[in-house]
Amino acid sequence: MKPVRTRFAPSPTGFLHVGGVRTALFNYLLAKKNGGQFILRLEDTDRERFIPEGVEQIVASLGWLGLKPDEGFWISDGRHQNVEYIQSERHKQGFYRQFADQLVEQGLAYADWTTSERLAALREEARAAKQPFLFRRSMAAPEGDTDAPHVIRLDVARYAEQHASVAWQDAVRGEFAAETGLIEDFILIKSDGFPTYNFANVIDDHDMKISHVVRGDEFISSTAKHALLYDAFGWQRPAFVHLPVINGADGKKLSKRTGDTNTLDYRDKGYLPEALLNFLALLGWNDGSQQEIYEPSELIEKFDLSGVGSSPAVFDQRRLDWVNGYWIREKIGLDDLYERCRSFWPEAAENADDNYKKQVLSIVRERLKYFAELPALTEFFFADLPVDENLIIQHKQLKKLSKDELRGLLERSKKSLESSDFTINDLTERLNNLLAETEQKPAVLFSLIRVATTQAPASPGLADTLAVLGKDRSLKRIDQQLAAL
């Protein structure tokens, strides 16, 4: 058994989104489950689409999520570490060219000076003849100035002479095969000297002793080329593992509207990294149980490739909100939760006492799906909001009552609350007594007191809210509502 070594190898041509995070997570879990190593490699050979800030975003995303590699590129103290895990840096050292030259010397690859204009003409000829276009060695331009731009191609036809097809085993999907006669002589080294993705990917995976190549199923179509390269070099292939696609809740390809956003947007909205990983782990994997909430350590313990499915997974934003809300309510202690949400409080809470803010957090956490909701849910605890008459006029239950009836109910409520010590138990008892005395439904009486004291359509439990607001502030706000009526 080879040591388990996995890698996450994103291309910084954009920002890391949730699909990429799911891939990184599955690589991480597989390595940790088997006591192996998880490696981060940056595949930045596509220089035309390279985005420098994408590098920092990838590393920051993985760091926030706790998916730090055992080996690989990282940023520490503002400095790049382990640059040998960046393909462009390996290219500067001539690392890939030596392998291409080896294949050329063995007659398994060749240099090609064909111009882009000539390629376009060859494609047009094939189109006119209604034939698929497959570049072969016989089409290559004769050797010109060796310093002139040219590419190096793999001579697939030589392999095809001995093998009608190239087959490989996928750990999730089973057997695959591709006809070698339908694979063109693909490029290994581009005219700018950089290796192609297909070539550098294989060279690096072999050099870094990767045992399992775990990636999205969009790479299935490239796997035949990778298998050919392993065979050309006489190297043992890694295990190929292709993960199911992630669709939006509408069944279509994931988009920005359906959750495919910059990973750090979830951090900035106040999602918990543990909750996001919990949610993403269940997109395409199941341990055979009905369990929905997993600690990171549980995911490592239970993860197995046999639980990875082949059917498309569904990214449901409402499901993510539920999982994150569960973690907020049940999995994170109050002190820890308070530290994590420090930057999300409303401006009015800036000078509030820490203990008071913890009281507020303790009663709103039941309604909190992510920290960015804190301002809307808590502002009335820190600022006296102006009376909004529309809250009563448009309220489903309260709009049925006249102003005199509303005033009467509020005055009776105020009189009862004036005698309260504002402990939760006393407030609960008084509110229940008011229901009996006024013969009103909770949806009417409690909504009226809630609107008067919070100027919000919803709040935590009424007794809890009043207890945190305190007696003076609560009675003052009831007086303001009475005056407005």
Side-chain angles (χ1 to χ4, degrees):
M1 292 290 291
K2 293 169 60 177
V4 172
R5 289 172 61 83
T6 65
R7 77 340 183 240
F8 179 52
S11 177
T13 55
F15 293 131
L16 181 60
H17 290 194
V18 293
V21 173
R22 198 269 306 262
T23 299
L25 174 61
F26 281 25
N27 275 282
Y28 177 87
L29 294 175
L30 180 61
K32 296 303 176 185
K33 170 65 180 290
N34 293 281
Q37 292 81 45
F38 168 61
I39 296 161
L40 173 63
R41 183 175 75 228
L42 294 183
E43 300 192 338
D44 62 342
T45 58
D46 187 347
R47 304 309 291 179
E48 291 183 1
R49 299 195 300 150
F50 174 72
I51 300 175
E53 55 269 29
V55 174
E56 282 72 17
Q57 189 268 353
I58 289 169
V59 174
S61 296
L62 296 181
W64 170 59
L65 292 164
L67 301 179
K68 187 170 183 179
D70 301 294
E71 300 174 22
F73 176 76
W74 207 249
I75 300 173
S76 179
D77 299 325
R79 293 175 294 179
H80 292 183
Q81 309 288 327
N82 307 326
V83 294
E84 66 270 21
Y85 290 88
I86 303 177
Q87 284 185 342
S88 59
E89 294 295 328
R90 291 162 77 80
H91 162 70
K92 291 177 184 177
Q93 301 163 15
F95 181 72
Y96 303 107
R97 185 69 191 218
Q98 63 180 319
F99 290 96
D101 290 343
Q102 176 186 329
L103 292 177
V104 172
E105 290 170 8
Q106 295 173 337
L108 300 175
Y110 58 92
D112 172 29
W113 279 264
T114 303
T115 64
S116 56
E117 292 79 10
R118 175 59 180 160
L119 270 176
L122 289 170
R123 288 194 179 94
E124 183 55 38
E125 289 175 14
R127 188 179 300 112
K130 296 183 179 181
Q131 296 177 342
F133 175 69
L134 294 174
F135 194 95
R136 291 291 184 236
R137 191 169 195 157
S138 59
M139 303 176 183
E143 182 174 338
D145 181 354
T146 54
D147 293 327
H150 62 280
V151 301
I152 294 179
R153 294 176 180 270
L154 185 71
D155 193 346
V156 178
R158 285 201 56 175
Y159 186 94
E161 290 172 1
Q162 303 294 324
H163 306 279
S165 66
V166 56
W168 69 94
Q169 177 79 20
D170 187 286
V172 171
R173 298 163 184 267
E175 290 285 348
F176 278 89
E179 292 183 41
T180 48
L182 299 179
I183 302 173
E184 73 169 354
D185 292 359
F186 57 92
I187 296 173
L188 309 180
I189 302 293
K190 295 180 284 189
S191 59
D192 61 4
F194 272 86
T196 60
Y197 159 77
N198 288 320
F199 189 56
N201 176 278
V202 168
I203 300 300
D204 285 339
D205 282 344
H206 174 75
D207 181 62
M208 296 176 185
K209 298 179 173 59
I210 300 303
S211 64
H212 294 73
V213 173
V214 183
R215 57 194 179 191
D217 67 356
E218 67 270 22
F219 292 101
I220 290 177
S221 60
S222 303
T223 306
K225 295 178 180 179
H226 301 164
L228 282 173
L229 283 169
Y230 278 103
D231 293 351
F233 283 110
W235 295 338
Q236 182 179 349
R237 300 175 189 172
F240 293 114
V241 185
H242 290 96
L243 306 177
V245 68
I246 302 176
N247 289 332
D250 57 3
K252 299 177 181 178
K253 183 179 177 182
L254 203 60
S255 65
K256 280 190 174 183
R257 186 178 61 82
T258 54
D260 192 29
T261 59
N262 181 334
T263 303
L264 294 182
D265 285 349
Y266 289 100
R267 178 198 66 182
D268 296 342
K269 282 186 176 181
Y271 285 85
L272 297 169
E274 300 96 328
L276 183 58
L277 290 179
N278 183 162
F279 172 76
L280 291 177
L282 298 179
L283 295 184
W285 171 81
N286 182 271
D287 64 359
S289 73
Q290 298 297 314
Q291 186 173 342
E292 297 179 288
I293 302 298
Y294 292 83
E295 299 271 1
S297 59
E298 282 186 285
L299 290 174
I300 292 172
E301 176 189 348
K302 297 186 176 183
F303 186 81
D304 190 270
L305 289 178
S306 63
V308 178
S310 58
S311 300
V314 176
F315 187 102
D316 186 337
Q317 184 66 48
R318 293 175 300 176
R319 193 69 186 160
L320 172 58
D321 289 346
W322 179 86
V323 171
N324 200 66
Y326 185 93
W327 271 83
I328 288 173
R329 294 189 304 274
E330 307 291 342
K331 305 292 287 184
I332 305 292
L334 182 62
D335 289 341
D336 184 12
L337 198 65
Y338 181 67
E339 290 301 320
R340 296 192 193 209
C341 69
R342 276 187 177 275
S343 62
F344 290 90
W345 291 96
E347 188 176 342
E350 183 177 356
N351 298 317
D353 176 78
D354 283 344
N355 288 330
Y356 179 71
K357 288 163 75 174
K358 283 185 182 180
Q359 282 184 285
V360 173
L361 182 59
S362 70
I363 65 172
V364 301
R365 69 190 297 184
E366 289 294 322
R367 300 174 57 85
L368 198 60
K369 297 190 294 292
Y370 47 88
F371 295 150
E373 293 183 319
L374 263 181
L377 289 176
T378 67
E379 188 174 15
F380 63 82
F381 283 105
F382 305 98
D384 292 330
L385 305 178
V387 175
D388 182 355
E389 292 188 26
N390 287 328
L391 284 175
I392 287 180
I393 295 172
Q394 297 175 1
H395 194 283
K396 183 178 180 180
Q397 301 293 335
L398 301 181
K399 65 182 181 180
K400 302 174 184 178
L401 279 65
S402 68
K403 285 192 176 183
D404 285 342
E405 289 174 313
L406 293 169
R407 281 184 58 85
L409 286 174
L410 264 186
E411 285 170 348
R412 293 183 69 172
S413 301
K414 178 189 173 185
K415 183 177 181 180
S416 176
L417 294 175
E418 282 175 332
S419 303
S420 174
D421 60 7
F422 266 67
T423 60
I424 292 177
N425 287 341
D426 185 65
L427 286 167
T428 300
E429 183 178 353
R430 289 177 181 276
L431 290 171
N432 287 333
N433 289 339
L434 277 169
L435 287 175
E437 293 170 11
T438 61
E439 297 181 345
Q440 283 291 348
K441 297 177 181 178
V444 174
L445 182 63
F446 290 178
S447 293
L448 177 59
I449 299 173
R450 176 178 288 109
V451 168
T453 54
T454 69
Q455 293 303 309
S459 73
L462 184 55
D464 297 286
T465 300
L466 294 173
V468 173
L469 283 173
K471 187 172 186 175
D472 292 344
R473 179 176 277 174
S474 297
L475 294 176
K476 173 188 171 185
R477 291 181 177 181
I478 290 175
D479 280 338
Q480 290 172 337
Q481 185 70 66
L482 283 168
L485 286 169

